[in-house]
Amino acid sequence: MKKAMNPEDLARLFVEYANAGDADSMAELYAEDAVLDFPAGNPTVGRDAIRAVLKQLVAARPQFTVEQPLPTLISGDIALTATVPADGTGGRTQVARRQPDGTWLRILDRPERATK
């Protein structure tokens, strides 16, 4: 499994693994204590719970595309990333944390606009 060497790698790897139907590798892009706001307005907490949600997602066999990234904002070991959604769902934003080995994992992920 490839690891994110830069915060921007997380979105690209997510798409790569999603299109391969590999929910386990997708989940490994998240920290153990990460929060995924998916479905929108219903946060999923923890890598294991995120893995379960991602398995349901990939079972539907959606096709993802790598979206245009917005500039990454980094402060120490924390990074804010975002992409311009191709599907018009509003902004996609993520917060990533640098790991002791220098790789990056998502700690907060809001893939679409909450409607609540």
Side-chain angles (χ1 to χ4, degrees):
M1 183 187 90
K2 299 173 197 167
K3 293 188 174 192
M5 300 311 295
N6 299 295
E8 300 83 1
D9 292 341
L10 290 163
R12 179 184 52 77
L13 289 171
F14 185 94
V15 169
E16 181 180 322
Y17 297 144
N19 288 340
D22 187 351
D24 289 326
S25 291
M26 293 167 70
E28 293 300 317
L29 298 173
Y30 292 84
E32 287 286 340
D33 59 347
V35 178
L36 169 65
D37 189 30
F38 184 82
N42 296 289
T44 301
V45 180
R47 184 186 289 155
D48 290 337
I50 290 170
R51 178 178 285 109
V53 167
L54 295 175
K55 284 186 180 206
Q56 291 176 349
L57 176 69
V58 299
R61 304 300 294 170
Q63 285 298 301
F64 292 88
T65 58
V66 177
E67 298 171 329
Q68 176 186 348
L70 296 171
T72 299
L73 183 60
I74 298 176
S75 177
D77 290 334
I78 301 293
L80 174 66
T81 62
T83 59
V84 177
D87 61 6
T89 59
R92 298 190 209 289
T93 55
Q94 302 83 32
V95 176
R97 181 173 49 221
R98 189 185 339 254
Q99 304 303 296
D101 67 358
T103 62
W104 292 83
L105 294 176
R106 287 180 172 171
I107 57 174
L108 298 171
D109 186 4
R110 176 168 283 154
E112 56 190 32
R113 178 179 52 219
T115 55
K116 286 185 173 183

